[in-house]
Amino acid sequence: MAAPAPRVRSRCAAPGAEVVVVGGGVIGLSAAWWLLRNGIKVIVLEAGAIGSEASGRNGGGSAAFHSPLFPEAEALWPQMDELLGYPTEFRPGRLKIIRTEAQLSALKSSIDAAQHVGCSVEQLDARQVAELVPLAGADALGGVYFHGGGHMNPLRTLQAYAWAVEDLGGRILQRTGATGFRVRSGRIVEVETACGSFACDAVVLAAGPNVGSLAAQLDEIVPVASARAEMVLTEPLPPMPFTNVDGNGIYGRQTLRGNLAYGGGPHEWLASAPAAGLPKSGSPLIRSIAKRVAELLPLASHARVIRSWAGFIECTPDGRPIIDRLASIDNAVVATMSSVGFGLSPAAGRAIMELLRDGRCDFADLGSFSLSRFADLGGDWREERGWVAATPPRTIYELNV
Ligand SMILES: Cc1cc2nc3c(=O)[nH]c(=O)nc-3n(C[C@H](O)[C@H](O)[C@H](O)COP(=O)(O)OP(=O)(O)OC[C@H]3O[C@@H](n4cnc5c(N)ncnc54)[C@H](O)[C@@H]3O)c2cc1C
């Protein structure tokens, strides 16, 4: 079968770029970097500051073993400091501490998913856990060590992507939000902003929870809801031999300086209005996460929480990413990662680049990321699932099936 025609054509007229990327989060920046590495000129339009939304506020973890993008992300992370030219603070592996038999059996699907993609998994006894993670003390039942996934520093990683984009000649325009599109013959020819319009041959919509409203301007439905998640940071503690420590319903890492940075799982996410304004932390979730850090790492229970923050997570109806071309617009790719975008970002950016350049992704099957899977979704899907802002806020877990 003949290869589909390239989606990116020759250089566009100035001012503009061959590709305009809307959104300067980790996905937009990774896509921009991959496009530039392949000789395609890019402008990134960012409504606020790069990484000012979820990409700069997340836990920095990679553990989406079940994702078709995971093997590529897993191969890329150890090389990213060298490829980008700047540090991400990548540290490989994840350790889940087990304190009850129920916690061990709840891990079965993660263990299966990790082993399915070739990551070995080791059971550790209490002594091995205490050696690797002294703050856990000696009374854990044991641990499960995943030789896969890892943790990065989100802020340094965002900065690394952004500097790497600029090093390759890409332009990043902050405080320059896309406000609309000029479409001619089924193609976006200009992206409009309050600072003027940018001509383009192709567009990447990587605006996190805002991709839905941007796509709506193009008469396309991209179903994304937004949920608020929170994290805590403790004062610095003595550095541990192993830093990527999960369990007790929370996940996180010890930073280079020694702080413990922790967040909760989907059961902690709060149904939220679409991202507008600054997400605030300070809910009872902060106390709950801090309490569970103390249970996970009892020898850290004296540590004070010195900072907390919140961010808006993009959530698709089935919890899987969307990376696809828009059906009615010939030259636009939409990418929204449904909560696992940071860890998958090196692979997601490459997938977006290949979709734009070649019309298909060669290294991973993106079939499960297609927009067409939502063809029968009603317009009121958020209400049907109860994913609407509530006062006082309820967790999506309480609201969801
Ligand atoms: C507290 C928290 C913890 C998390 N932990 C993890 C984790 O450990 N591992 C993991 O993989 N993922 C994690 N996530 C999810 C992860 O952060 C996201 O999946 C990822 O950052 C999404 O990246 P993005 O670039 O698609 O979106 P965003 O980070 O939301 O970036 C989109 C950008 O687009 C901009 N924008 C919006 N509208 C416009 C417009 N009209 N014009 C121009 N720009 C626009 C926004 O300002 C924003 O900067 C977490 C998220 C949160 C909030």
Side-chain angles (χ1 to χ4, degrees):
M1 194 173 72
R7 299 283 147 180
V8 179
R9 298 198 293 221
S10 60
R11 294 190 61 173
C12 64
E18 285 167 281
V19 177
V20 171
V21 174
V22 179
V26 71
I27 298 304
L29 290 175
S30 175
W33 176 68
W34 276 103
L35 288 160
L36 287 155
R37 275 165 65 82
N38 284 271
I40 298 166
K41 299 275 184 285
V42 177
I43 289 181
V44 178
L45 302 179
E46 165 53 48
I50 56 151
S52 52
E53 295 293 345
S55 297
R57 297 165 179 269
N58 64 65
S62 170
F65 300 113
H66 55 278
S67 173
L69 292 177
F70 180 81
E72 180 68 7
E74 181 74 353
L76 282 166
W77 274 119
Q79 310 172 51
M80 288 304 277
D81 286 19
E82 198 182 332
L83 292 174
L84 294 170
Y86 303 98
T88 62
E89 294 180 19
F90 166 72
R91 289 180 177 181
R94 306 280 290 238
L95 171 57
K96 300 240 186 206
I97 292 180
I98 307 296
R99 294 200 176 274
T100 65
E101 290 296 340
Q103 287 175 352
L104 182 59
S105 47
L107 274 183
K108 189 177 174 339
S109 65
S110 299
I111 293 173
D112 289 348
Q115 289 174 333
H116 184 69
V117 290
C119 297
S120 60
V121 178
E122 227 178 298
Q123 298 244 2
L124 306 185
D125 61 26
R127 184 187 53 79
Q128 290 169 306
V129 169
E131 276 170 16
L132 287 174
V133 186
L135 293 173
D139 62 346
L141 277 188
V144 177
Y145 188 99
F146 290 78
H147 292 267
H151 261 284
M152 287 58 70
N153 177 333
L155 290 174
R156 294 200 84 177
T157 303
L158 257 286
Q159 190 65 79
Y161 274 122
W163 281 334
V165 163
E166 291 186 337
D167 288 348
L168 292 174
R171 281 191 290 158
I172 299 173
L173 304 182
Q174 301 186 85
R175 313 212 183 285
T176 312
T179 53
F181 306 94
R182 182 163 304 163
V183 177
R184 197 178 299 139
S185 305
R187 297 174 67 85
I188 299 175
V189 292
E190 281 179 18
V191 179
E192 296 160 349
T193 77
C195 311
S197 295
F198 294 85
C200 56
D201 291 328
V203 171
V204 175
L205 295 180
N210 277 5
V211 289
S213 57
L214 287 170
Q217 296 193 45
L218 296 159
D219 295 326
E220 290 270 356
I221 294 172
V222 176
V224 196
S226 143
R228 201 181 82 221
E230 307 195 6
M231 300 211 47
V232 302
L233 188 88
T234 70
E235 60 191 328
L237 294 158
M240 300 189 289
F242 188 75
T243 54
N244 305 341
V245 184
D246 308 333
N248 204 24
I250 53 174
Y251 73 100
R253 71 188 170 107
Q254 186 176 38
T255 68
L256 284 184
R257 185 153 187 260
N259 318 77
L260 301 174
Y262 273 84
H267 50 290
E268 317 276 12
W269 300 350
L270 296 170
S272 151
L278 295 172
K280 277 189 203 150
S281 67
S283 76
L285 286 187
I286 292 302
R287 280 195 296 281
S288 165
I289 295 169
K291 174 174 171 284
R292 279 174 300 133
V293 173
E295 291 164 357
L296 181 72
L297 303 171
L299 302 191
S301 57
H302 63 286
R304 285 171 302 178
V305 170
I306 57 169
R307 198 154 73 82
S308 65
W309 65 92
F312 290 119
I313 295 190
E314 70 291 359
C315 303
T316 64
D318 61 7
R320 279 182 282 134
I322 295 169
I323 301 181
D324 202 357
R325 286 179 282 158
L326 293 180
S328 65
I329 302 289
D330 194 38
N331 61 342
V333 165
V334 63
T336 188
M337 299 300 291
S338 207
S339 84
V340 287
F342 184 83
L344 295 175
S345 63
R350 181 173 172 200
I352 295 164
M353 179 276 291
E354 290 194 2
L355 265 187
L356 272 177
R357 187 192 61 184
D358 308 328
R360 64 180 191 279
C361 173
D362 273 341
F363 69 88
D365 179 359
L366 302 186
S368 60
F369 294 174
S370 73
L371 266 172
S372 60
R373 72 189 195 265
F374 299 123
D376 297 329
L377 198 71
D380 54 355
W381 66 273
R382 287 182 190 78
E383 289 74 15
E384 276 173 13
R385 285 166 171 74
W387 287 12
V388 287
T391 310
R394 287 174 289 168
T395 68
I396 276 192
Y397 184 75
E398 286 168 331
L399 296 165
N400 202 353
V401 282

